[in-house]
């Protein structure tokens, strides 16, 4: 009975120690709620805010009651309590992905005139291909239809609708080596793309292409395709069928909404140039290391926090662009295995010179870099022999 009466009460201090608090971070017109532990350091809070704001921790300044919070202190020591409001200020350029996530501006309606002459001109641009163009296409093998107001109304659900890519394109058939339909409103690439059996280069930049827009079965049948460019579209993923285009040497998918790459990309063993910058990728498949012919890789402006060790398998790699990512380190074998690497852009990452010096093979890479870019280094870093992670940026 006496023991029962002496049961210790719960300790407010202990519960307080483990408690999370709710605070609001004001940034770019946004109010960002977070629930860190009272004993979280300010540095930990900045890491928590990185994916929510795209601002790298070293580019963040947290201000509470007019004072800049110290990275080494905890929220408790900084007297930040439940319900507190903290202001975030970001240093220019120190961000990952496409830049800081700010409050979206309210879109203003665009009122277009109903000028009949404008509409007639547009209709003519869409529909007409004269015989001179057709003859030139067949002779040169180059079908140039960029910025021609093309629209494709054919969709997988409505196959009976009209395809406004001129029929003459398909009549060129095997004579077509290059097709450029960039900067149009093409939202669907039909299976007939596979009928252009000799095509080597396909440019589909700046259209409205989504994941369901492209008939990949038709594309994968193009056995001579070496260049595929789909920059500035609305793609969020690339399908496994990409790996079937084994002849590819250059792949451009920058400025989309890609969150990852398929592991089948490793089948592209002849790929030399890969540009997937300005997307939303947070990870890379380990199979990317199977792309052993890669010479240039651009992964800048994504959401990457680490890279697979298999990057060291790219023995022919000469240029690697990694700016504006949340990277803290590089693969340990990058400098020792990629012995041709001479251009490395680490601008606006968390990787410092001290980190680089600890990676085996740094001295050899630094010598190659200096040899290639000595004139640029002399111009940009006057009187300094230190590594500048942005000096190699073209």
């Amino acid at each position: 009975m006496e023991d029962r009466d002496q049961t210790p009460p719960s300790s407010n201090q202990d519960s307080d120690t483990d408690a999370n608090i709710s605070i609001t971070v004001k940034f770019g017109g946004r109010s960002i709620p977070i629930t860190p532990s009272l004993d979280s350091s300010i540095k930990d809070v900045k890491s928590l805010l990185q994916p929510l704001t795209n601002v790298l921790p070293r580019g963040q300044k947290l201000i509470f009651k007019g004072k800049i919070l110290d990275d080494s202190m905890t929220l408790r020591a900084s007297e930040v309590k439940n319900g507190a409001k903290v202001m975030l200020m970001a240093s220019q350029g120190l961000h990952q992905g496409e830049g800081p996530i700010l409050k979206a501006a309210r879109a203003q309606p665009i009122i277009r005139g109903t000028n009949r002459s404008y509409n007639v001109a547009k209709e003519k641009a869409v529909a007409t291909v004269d015989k001179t163009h057709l003859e030139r296409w067949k002779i040169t093998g180059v079908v140039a239809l960029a910025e021609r107001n093309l629209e494709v109304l054919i969709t997988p659900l409505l196959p009976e609708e009209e395809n406004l890519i001129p029929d003459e394109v398909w009549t060129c058939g095997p004579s077509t080596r290059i097709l450029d339909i960039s900067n149009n409103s093409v939202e669907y690439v039909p299976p007939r793309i596979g009928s252009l059996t000799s095509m080597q280069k396909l440019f589909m930049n700046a259209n409205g292409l989504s994941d369901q827009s492209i008939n990949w079965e038709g594309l994968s049948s193009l056995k001579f395709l070496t260049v595929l460019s789909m920059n500035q579209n609305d793609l969020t993923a690339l399908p496994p069928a990409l790996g079937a285009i084994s002849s590819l040497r250059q792949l451009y998918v920058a400025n989309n909404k890609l969150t990852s790459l398929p592991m089948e990309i490793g089948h592209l063993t002849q790929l030399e140039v890969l540009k997937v910058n300005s997307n939303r990728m947070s990870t890379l498949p380990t199979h990317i290391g199977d792309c052993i012919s890669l010479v240039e890789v651009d992964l800048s402006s994504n959401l990457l926090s680490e890279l697979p060790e298999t990057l060291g398998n790219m023995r022919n790699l000469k240029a690697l662009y990694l700016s504006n990512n949340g990277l803290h380190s590089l693969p340990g074998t990058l400098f020792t295995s990629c012995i041709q690497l001479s251009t490395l852009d680490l601008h606006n990452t968390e990787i410092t010179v001290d980190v680089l010096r600890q990676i085996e093979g740094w001295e050899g890479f630094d010598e190659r870099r200096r040899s290639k870019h000595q004139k640029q280094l002399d111009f940009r870093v006057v009187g300094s022999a230190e590594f500048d992670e942005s000096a190699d940026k073209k």
Side-chain angles (χ1 to χ4, degrees):
M1 188 72 173
E2 185 176 67
D3 291 339
R4 188 169 57 236
D5 292 339
Q6 292 179 358
T7 301
S10 60
S11 169
N12 289 334
Q13 184 176 356
D14 290 343
S15 62
D16 185 50
T17 299
D18 298 331
N20 289 346
I21 61 171
S22 297
I23 63 177
T24 301
V25 179
K26 299 287 188 178
F27 174 65
R30 299 169 60 209
S31 295
I32 306 171
I34 58 174
T35 55
S37 167
L38 260 176
D39 293 312
S40 296
S41 68
I42 301 303
K43 184 177 181 180
D44 292 336
V45 174
K46 289 182 177 181
S47 296
L48 183 64
L49 288 170
Q50 179 179 337
L52 302 176
T53 64
N54 274 358
V55 181
L56 298 179
R58 66 189 177 103
Q60 298 180 30
K61 287 184 180 179
L62 293 177
I63 301 173
F64 179 61
K65 292 185 177 180
K67 295 182 179 180
I68 298 177
L69 301 181
D70 191 310
D71 280 1
S72 62
M73 296 183 67
T74 64
L75 290 172
R76 185 192 302 277
S78 303
E79 299 183 349
V80 178
K81 300 179 180 179
N82 191 53
K85 295 181 179 180
V86 178
M87 180 182 296
L88 168 60
M89 294 185 65
S91 299
Q92 185 175 2
L94 292 174
H95 61 79
Q96 64 180 11
E98 299 176 347
I101 304 174
L102 306 175
K103 183 177 181 179
R106 180 174 296 179
Q108 297 295 326
I110 299 175
I111 302 175
R112 300 187 183 277
T114 55
N115 189 310
R116 186 176 184 276
S117 61
Y118 166 81
N119 292 331
V120 170
K122 180 178 179 180
E123 288 175 5
K124 289 182 178 179
V126 169
T128 60
V129 172
D130 58 38
K131 292 182 179 180
T132 303
H133 278 101
L134 181 57
E135 292 172 0
R136 186 185 306 131
W137 291 349
K138 288 184 175 181
I139 293 173
T140 64
V142 179
V143 180
L145 286 170
E147 300 184 25
R148 290 289 299 273
N149 294 320
L150 298 179
E151 297 178 358
V152 175
L153 298 182
I154 273 191
T155 70
L157 299 178
L158 299 172
E160 71 278 9
E161 292 187 352
E162 184 181 6
N163 183 348
L164 296 185
I165 287 183
D167 287 337
E168 288 83 355
V169 171
W170 313 119
T171 61
C172 290
S175 64
T176 301
R177 296 181 300 107
I178 301 172
L179 173 60
D180 187 354
I181 55 173
S182 299
N183 295 287
N184 286 292
S185 298
V186 177
E187 296 183 356
Y188 181 65
V189 179
R192 294 178 73 182
I193 195 73
S195 67
L196 308 179
T197 53
S198 300
M199 187 158 57
Q200 300 170 17
K201 300 180 180 181
L202 175 57
F203 300 93
M204 301 187 291
N205 304 314
N207 283 288
L209 297 175
S210 63
D211 297 347
Q212 293 76 34
S213 299
I214 303 172
N215 185 281
W216 285 94
E217 184 178 352
L219 276 184
S220 60
S221 68
L222 300 174
K223 301 304 180 184
F224 300 100
L225 190 65
T226 59
V227 178
L228 177 58
S229 186
M230 300 184 292
N231 297 325
Q232 293 180 262
N233 282 292
D234 294 318
L235 302 174
T236 63
L238 297 175
L242 173 68
I245 315 178
S246 57
S247 56
L248 269 187
R249 294 182 182 273
Q250 299 178 29
L251 176 60
Y252 302 89
V253 284
N255 294 100
N256 279 279
K257 300 174 183 177
L258 298 175
T259 57
S260 63
L261 293 174
M263 62 180 184
E264 287 80 7
I265 195 169
H267 297 164
L268 304 181
T269 55
Q270 298 187 60
L271 194 66
E272 298 175 357
V273 177
L274 174 63
K275 297 205 172 185
V276 287
N277 50 294
S278 300
N279 279 284
R280 301 175 181 176
M281 296 190 302
S282 57
T283 60
L284 290 177
T286 57
H287 292 77
I288 195 170
D290 296 333
C291 301
I292 56 176
S293 298
L294 277 171
V295 174
E296 180 179 353
V297 177
D298 192 344
L299 299 168
S300 57
S301 297
N302 275 285
L303 307 175
L304 299 169
S305 58
E306 61 180 1
L307 299 173
E309 288 292 330
T310 52
L311 249 62
N313 298 341
M314 301 177 185
R315 304 300 173 91
N316 295 305
L317 189 64
K318 296 181 179 180
L320 179 59
Y321 301 95
L322 299 170
S323 64
N324 294 110
N325 279 285
L327 296 168
H328 292 79
S329 63
L330 294 175
T333 60
L334 185 66
F335 294 147
T336 55
S337 298
C338 303
I339 58 175
Q340 298 190 57
L341 183 66
S342 58
T343 298
L344 178 63
D345 182 7
L346 296 172
H347 189 58
N348 294 338
T349 68
E350 295 289 287
I351 301 175
T352 64
V353 176
D354 290 337
V355 171
L356 290 172
R357 286 173 174 163
Q358 295 174 14
I359 301 176
E360 185 179 359
W362 155 255
E363 294 83 1
F365 161 75
D366 195 35
E367 183 178 347
R368 294 191 300 273
R369 179 186 66 86
R370 288 170 182 270
S371 176
K372 181 179 179 180
H373 298 286
Q374 189 61 54
K375 291 184 180 180
Q376 294 181 9
L377 287 170
D378 290 342
F379 177 76
R380 298 183 184 187
V381 193
V382 179
S384 173
E386 293 296 323
F387 176 74
D388 177 2
E389 63 265 32
S390 65
D392 292 336
K393 191 173 182 179
K394 292 183 178 179

